[in-house]
Amino acid sequence: MATEPQPRAVRTSDDGRPVPTLLVVLLGMLTLPMAMSGTTVALPRIGTALDASGAALQWVVVGYFLAASACMLVAGSLGDLYGRRRILTAGAALYTAGTLASAAAPHVLLLDAARILSGIGAAGVMASGGSLLAATFTGPARTRVFASLGTTAGLGLALGPTFSGWLVDALGWRATFLSYAAVGAVILTGTRLLGESRAEERPRVDRAGAATFIAGFALALFAVTQGSKAGWNSPWTLLPAAAATALLTTFVRVEQGLARSGRGRPILDLRLARNPAFAGWAVGSFALGAGTTGVLAFLPTYLQGVNGTSARAAGLTLLLMTVPILVLPPLGARLVNRGVPARRLLVLSLLLIAAGNAWLTTLHPGIPVPALAGPLLTIGAGQGLSIGIVDAQAMSLVLPSEVGMASGFLNTVRGATGALTLTVFGALLLTAELTRAWHTALWTVTALITALALTTHLLLSRPSAVGRRSARRNEWAQPSAQSTTEATPTTTP
């Protein structure tokens, strides 16, 4: 990324209002994971109530991920240009409206559409929330704040299945969406307390880049979803895959043309993605999601369908995995601030997740909860140690005026991870007898995460001299520590 001539690269108001910003963003990061993990517990009841099954029912979860992942990059970049609080407010409004519509949906297709709307809103909340924190906090404080973000997301994951399972058993599945909508309304109200933050300059919006990326990325994920169900040679798979390839190729050319001409700021500066250090953190983020999403999404369904457990009991079982995600992020941040290399902590986390997935292949009908404790605690510990450090480390590599783009990129990776993992994991579970299919899926995840751990280690272990040469070759420069931690933001009236 090109270094800007002045350290005042960000325009803020009211000194960023750090305390309200932190509280509102944390509330959003608490609710969105709850809405994700909790909805998986409610799927069997939703299917019974709406007479739905198969792809239409799975899209209650997959559609949310697809919409969120396709829109996060654009939401983050627009936040840099038009104001991160403004995009956060718009996202909270869409999320609340979509969740209310989900609670009232009389048909599964209308529920799928409402969940897609909720996913678009979630993209605005997640991308803008992370960039607001990155623009407001610096140095060790940023590491601690993002650890709090990881803790809060872990709390949402931990509470989601339990809370939703209790509501589903007591009041029905519609009550879960009503509760999430109520919190969305609180977030929307809380955005009035935040200061605005955006780039000092506002170039022309990259409309062509935004349109081609959203359409291309959504079609790519749709093709993967269709391929796992209709077959990889089906026209319903090949046609969207071809369209996605054409659109994403056009997107790359548009971004390259904008970077060369300087007539506007790209939605994604491709030099960011080519920076080995940033790419390493992105790969690590992908691996963290890929190693946990399948178990989180499908294990409750297995326990309810094969073992006959209630939705509440299935949610309580998942606490074995989600509680470590709640309690360990502060430990990870403390270790990094005390000098433990963050890259080593991330690689250790990925190896723990791989080991936990391998251990979970002991899964069988009638398995008691104590037998699940070891693998689920191991997976949760791996996720918890690093979930709070990835964003802080990656954000330190970009200019303050582009933290929205970086946050959007990282959240796009996470969203795509969720959608792809749900699709592939779900497809594997349909290929054979259920328990045997689970074993195949778990061994596949184990091999993938082990390979990604090695890739992350190689990308983040490159000598600093190589990183500097790569930076100069790509006209990218990391901002100095002084410009990152001591720059004084301008204040708007």
Side-chain angles (χ1 to χ4, degrees):
M1 313 294 289
T3 305
E4 297 182 0
Q6 298 295 331
R8 297 186 176 192
V10 178
R11 181 184 294 275
T12 62
S13 62
D14 302 310
D15 297 324
R17 296 183 181 178
V19 174
T21 298
L22 179 60
L23 292 177
V24 171
V25 172
L26 289 183
L27 182 59
M29 295 303 173
L30 171 70
T31 307
L32 299 180
M34 285 183 69
M36 182 274 289
S37 61
T39 302
T40 62
V41 174
L43 281 183
R45 298 290 184 86
I46 293 173
T48 300
L50 300 182
D51 192 24
S53 62
L57 183 60
Q58 290 300 323
W59 265 75
V60 174
V61 176
V62 174
Y64 177 91
F65 276 115
L66 188 152
S69 59
C71 294
M72 274 191 234
L73 176 60
V74 174
S77 288
L78 291 179
D80 286 338
L81 301 182
Y82 287 100
R84 292 149 190 153
R85 183 187 67 176
R86 180 177 297 178
I87 298 300
L88 177 62
T89 301
L94 286 176
Y95 173 81
T96 303
T99 309
L100 279 173
S102 298
H107 190 276
V108 69
L109 295 182
L110 293 176
L111 177 58
D112 290 340
R115 289 286 288 169
I116 290 172
L117 180 64
S118 297
I120 295 172
V125 174
M126 288 188 282
S128 297
S131 61
L132 274 171
L133 293 183
T136 304
F137 299 91
T138 57
R142 178 184 286 178
T143 302
R144 291 191 296 269
V145 163
F146 275 100
S148 299
L149 200 66
T151 298
T152 304
L155 180 62
L157 289 171
L159 291 179
T162 305
F163 177 72
S164 294
W166 175 80
L167 277 180
V168 168
D169 285 341
L171 301 174
W173 62 269
R174 296 184 189 274
T176 64
F177 290 117
L178 287 173
S179 64
Y180 298 141
V183 179
V186 174
I187 297 169
L188 181 60
T189 303
T191 59
R192 296 175 175 270
L193 303 175
L194 308 187
E196 186 57 281
S197 169
R198 64 174 177 82
E200 181 70 25
E201 298 181 359
R202 188 166 69 189
R204 181 171 60 87
V205 176
D206 179 15
R207 292 185 177 88
T212 53
F213 181 81
I214 291 175
F217 203 77
L219 281 171
L221 294 182
F222 178 77
V224 171
T225 303
Q226 288 299 112
S228 65
K229 296 175 174 64
W232 298 105
N233 293 324
S234 166
W236 290 104
T237 302
L238 296 177
L239 290 176
T245 301
L247 285 167
L248 291 176
T249 300
T250 302
F251 168 74
V252 171
R253 291 175 178 173
V254 168
E255 303 308 276
Q256 289 174 336
L258 272 182
R260 286 193 300 265
S261 67
R263 293 193 302 268
R265 199 189 81 162
I267 288 293
L268 174 63
D269 191 326
L270 299 177
R271 292 170 293 185
L272 174 66
R274 289 198 298 264
N275 174 29
F278 190 89
W281 293 111
V283 170
S285 180
F286 178 90
L288 287 173
T292 57
T293 302
V295 174
L296 185 67
F298 292 106
L299 186 59
T301 303
Y302 180 89
L303 295 177
Q304 292 177 73
V306 176
N307 285 5
T309 59
S310 66
R312 183 184 307 175
L316 288 172
T317 301
L318 276 190
L319 285 175
L320 292 166
M321 176 177 164
T322 53
V323 165
I325 301 175
L326 165 64
V327 301
L328 290 181
L331 174 61
R334 191 175 302 116
L335 291 173
V336 171
N337 282 340
R338 291 186 177 181
V340 175
R343 60 181 175 82
R344 294 183 183 175
L345 197 62
L346 177 57
V347 172
L348 172 62
S349 292
L350 298 182
L351 294 177
L352 285 172
I353 291 172
N357 276 274
W359 193 351
L360 192 56
T361 56
T362 57
L363 187 69
H364 62 270
I367 187 171
V369 172
L372 293 171
L376 293 182
L377 286 170
T378 302
I379 295 172
Q383 179 85 340
L385 279 174
S386 290
I387 192 174
I389 67 172
V390 170
D391 284 47
Q393 296 296 315
M395 294 293 188
S396 68
L397 300 172
V398 303
L399 294 166
S401 61
E402 296 178 334
V403 291
M405 178 192 297
S407 176
F409 183 85
L410 291 172
N411 280 290
T412 297
V413 170
R414 290 193 188 96
T417 304
L420 290 171
T421 304
L422 288 172
T423 299
V424 175
F425 211 98
L428 288 172
L429 295 183
L430 295 174
T431 58
E433 185 270 328
L434 187 56
T435 300
R436 187 166 68 252
W438 259 94
H439 293 169
T440 300
L442 290 168
W443 282 121
T444 301
V445 171
T446 299
L448 173 65
I449 304 307
T450 302
L452 291 177
L454 176 60
T455 302
T456 301
H457 171 73
L458 294 175
L459 287 170
L460 296 180
S461 298
R462 297 183 63 173
S464 58
V466 174
R468 287 193 295 269
R469 287 196 298 271
S470 176
R472 288 194 295 269
R473 183 170 62 251
N474 294 320
E475 296 179 324
W476 175 88
Q478 177 178 330
S480 66
Q482 181 177 5
S483 67
T484 301
T485 61
E486 299 178 5
T488 303
T490 58
T491 302
T492 57

